Amino acid sequence: MTSCSFSEALEIRYAEDVDSNPIEPCEIFLVGSFPGRSSPSGRLVLPRILALNRCDIDRAGALHKIEELCHDVEELDLGQNELCDLTEIDNILQHMPNLSFLNLSHNNMKDAIPIHFTKRENLQSLVLNHTYVPWTVVGKFLEAMPNIQELHLSLNDYRCIDLPSNKQYPNLKQLYICGNPFTSWNDVALIGKIFPNLESLVMADTHISSIPDPPSWHHLFPHLQSLNFNNAPLSDWKDIDKLNHFQKLEDVRLLGISVLDNLNDLERRQHLIAYLPSVIRLNGSAILQKEREDAERAFIRHFLSKNERPKRFYDLEAIHGKLDPLVDVDLSPKKTAQVFVHFCEEQSVLTVNLQQSVQELKATLSDKFGLRPARMRLFYVDQDLKNACGPDELRYNNRKLYSYQIRDGDELLLDSK
């Protein structure tokens, strides 16, 4: 598909269904988020949310047309286009003074030359995923957007954070920076220094394998409440314990980390809950008080038979006291039972398979006592209830024997019709 300008794509996407009679628009109305259409008076109606992704846009185009149509646009999606010249991007943005959200994902900006962007006071969310945008350009975006609160920098092949450590962006609350091959916790610490009021850090799929001692970094995240560190190769529970030094952390995602590999799903969640006493939401699920208590007790019992116990074991033991190991009780249903079978004056001891049906048991008894199943009445007597309830006739041929709770020592009474 041939590349086109933003102004051309805007007309194609939003004006293609307008009445073919050429009417020069004299007023622009932006209502809701529906496609462009013609009002009864012939005026072009555009949405406040413009979606122009996958349009092969590589330049701004007619600036007067952008100014005319897009003055009140609030959200703009330009993902998966061909925008790599920052001047062209700035030309588009200059004519959208009310823009608060901008998505430039999947535009290759690897070789973009930094420029001084026009100030964008209203812009609060910027998405630059999979653009390979250089850090120098990220810095220019941040300078031009002083009120930005949400920044997406995932899948950009960043190996380190390369923003000046002496600059701060205090309004940023949420940073999404997943799928970049960071290897050092120093980059996390630098994030905390540059964005001092960060509340949410989504940093999944990194190569960070350890966390240093907290005194060197914990003061840098005074407001962090949510942390996503999924699929990090953390291999020591001490690293998980260090997360407690985020002073306000309450929502954590830690799926796929290496230290959990040898535990089952229940143990993984219980261990994480036990190690993170201030967290109230784990991997997207709320931690109720009953679950926390059960998890902490299970954690204590897990280490009772271990020679080496973590510090957290003793902290929890001080809360819950010394616990006894759980008795290993086999709760699986029995497969057989030895019962007494009475027929006329004869009594026999028979081992019956509890997985078989009443009909199958009658076939077995038919072979033993020579009484056809069709002529047979069979009663079950519970040894504990026989004085109170008496015999219970086994009327339903397809019912399994285990459903009657038959145990060793119970009785079967066989009678003929």
Side-chain angles (χ1 to χ4, degrees):
M1 185 175 177
T2 307
S3 62
C4 70
S5 69
F6 174 80
S7 59
E8 292 168 341
L10 187 64
E11 284 194 330
I12 293 170
R13 177 65 63 89
Y14 291 101
E16 61 183 0
D17 294 330
V18 175
D19 192 333
S20 58
N21 294 323
I23 300 174
E24 191 68 27
C26 58
E27 290 186 47
I28 306 300
F29 292 89
L30 295 104
V31 184
S33 59
F34 43 79
R37 59 179 176 83
S38 176
S39 70
S41 64
R43 298 162 182 165
L44 180 62
V45 179
L46 292 180
R48 293 184 184 275
I49 301 172
L50 299 185
L52 290 168
N53 53 320
R54 295 177 179 268
C55 291
D56 291 290
I57 299 170
D58 65 352
R59 60 194 184 279
L63 300 185
H64 72 280
K65 192 170 293 186
I66 299 174
E67 183 175 13
E68 183 181 50
L69 298 177
C70 301
H71 182 273
D72 293 331
V73 168
E74 297 176 358
E75 298 186 17
L76 176 61
D77 181 358
L78 289 174
Q80 295 175 288
N81 282 294
E82 307 298 328
L83 289 163
C84 58
D85 188 333
L86 300 182
T87 301
E88 296 296 330
I89 294 173
D90 193 47
N91 285 338
I92 295 171
L93 302 183
Q94 281 185 47
H95 303 288
M96 298 184 182
N98 295 301
L99 194 68
S100 63
F101 173 91
L102 174 62
N103 178 18
L104 292 169
S105 293
H106 304 283
N107 288 274
N108 192 340
M109 301 181 191
K110 184 176 183 180
D111 299 319
I113 299 173
I115 65 168
H116 289 286
F117 288 101
T118 304
K119 212 77 166 178
R120 295 264 65 86
E121 299 283 353
N122 290 331
L123 207 138
Q124 297 183 357
S125 300
L126 176 62
V127 186
L128 295 169
N129 294 336
H130 202 247
T131 58
Y132 305 106
V133 59
W135 282 109
T136 52
V137 175
V138 174
K140 294 298 183 182
F141 274 117
L142 290 172
E143 289 173 13
M145 303 168 182
N147 295 316
I148 190 169
Q149 296 184 18
E150 179 181 343
L151 178 62
H152 296 251
L153 295 171
S154 297
L155 302 172
N156 283 332
D157 201 30
Y158 294 147
R159 300 182 181 277
C160 65
I161 304 294
D162 195 14
L163 290 172
S165 60
N166 61 344
K167 288 190 176 182
Q168 290 189 329
Y169 305 93
N171 288 323
L172 194 78
K173 305 295 184 184
Q174 302 175 50
L175 177 62
Y176 299 79
I177 193 163
C178 305
N180 293 294
F182 300 113
T183 58
S184 174
W185 188 263
N186 291 335
D187 293 300
V188 181
L190 188 56
I191 288 172
K193 188 173 183 180
I194 297 171
F195 306 114
N197 294 317
L198 200 66
E199 296 177 358
S200 176
L201 175 59
V202 182
M203 203 172 183
D205 300 294
T206 71
H207 297 169
I208 296 173
S209 59
S210 63
I211 300 176
D213 291 335
S216 64
W217 57 263
H218 77 95
H219 61 287
L220 298 174
F221 292 92
H223 305 289
L224 191 72
Q225 299 174 21
S226 177
L227 175 66
N228 183 331
F229 221 62
N230 286 349
N231 302 318
L234 299 175
S235 57
D236 196 322
W237 280 103
K238 292 179 182 178
D239 293 322
I240 308 303
D241 190 39
K242 291 171 185 176
L243 298 180
N244 289 308
H245 292 272
F246 288 108
Q247 300 170 19
K248 293 189 176 181
L249 189 65
E250 60 182 27
D251 185 349
V252 176
R253 290 180 182 265
L254 289 169
L255 294 171
I257 59 174
S258 301
V259 74
L260 303 176
D261 287 347
N262 295 325
L263 302 174
N264 62 41
D265 289 345
L266 177 60
E267 290 172 333
R268 290 171 185 173
R269 184 169 175 86
Q270 287 180 332
H271 274 52
L272 289 172
I273 291 173
Y275 263 105
L276 301 169
S278 298
V279 170
I280 61 175
R281 192 170 184 84
L282 176 63
N283 296 331
S285 298
I287 302 171
L288 302 179
Q289 184 57 40
K290 178 65 165 59
E291 183 185 18
R292 173 166 292 284
E293 183 175 341
D294 290 345
E296 291 176 350
R297 288 177 174 273
F299 182 85
I300 293 172
R301 289 190 169 99
H302 178 85
F303 284 98
L304 284 176
S305 61
K306 310 289 185 183
N307 293 327
E308 294 186 13
R309 297 170 179 171
K311 177 180 178 296
R312 186 62 180 153
F313 170 89
Y314 299 102
D315 293 341
L316 291 175
E317 195 174 55
I319 296 172
H320 297 287
K322 295 185 180 296
L323 304 180
D324 295 324
L326 291 176
V327 177
D328 187 12
V329 179
D330 184 6
L331 298 177
S332 59
K334 291 191 65 176
K335 295 181 179 180
T336 62
Q338 272 198 337
V339 297
F340 298 101
V341 182
H342 301 272
F343 179 58
C344 297
E345 300 298 324
E346 184 178 351
Q347 176 177 299
S348 302
V349 177
L350 180 67
T351 300
V352 297
N353 179 2
L354 299 178
Q355 304 298 316
Q356 66 183 354
S357 64
V358 171
Q359 187 172 8
E360 291 170 328
L361 175 59
K362 287 181 177 180
T364 300
L365 296 176
S366 176
D367 293 338
K368 183 175 179 63
F369 296 104
L371 184 64
R372 289 188 302 112
R375 300 288 302 165
M376 187 182 296
R377 295 183 69 188
L378 184 61
F379 299 84
Y380 161 60
V381 180
D382 186 317
Q383 57 187 311
D384 295 328
L385 300 176
K386 61 181 179 181
N387 293 330
C389 301
D392 180 15
E393 185 170 3
L394 306 186
R395 298 175 181 273
Y396 305 104
N397 286 334
N398 292 326
R399 185 171 172 179
K400 299 294 185 180
L401 296 180
Y402 63 76
S403 66
Y404 289 96
Q405 307 295 323
I406 297 175
R407 299 167 296 152
D408 291 340
D410 287 345
E411 300 176 53
L412 295 176
L413 306 181
L414 186 58
D415 195 8
S416 60
K417 294 182 180 179

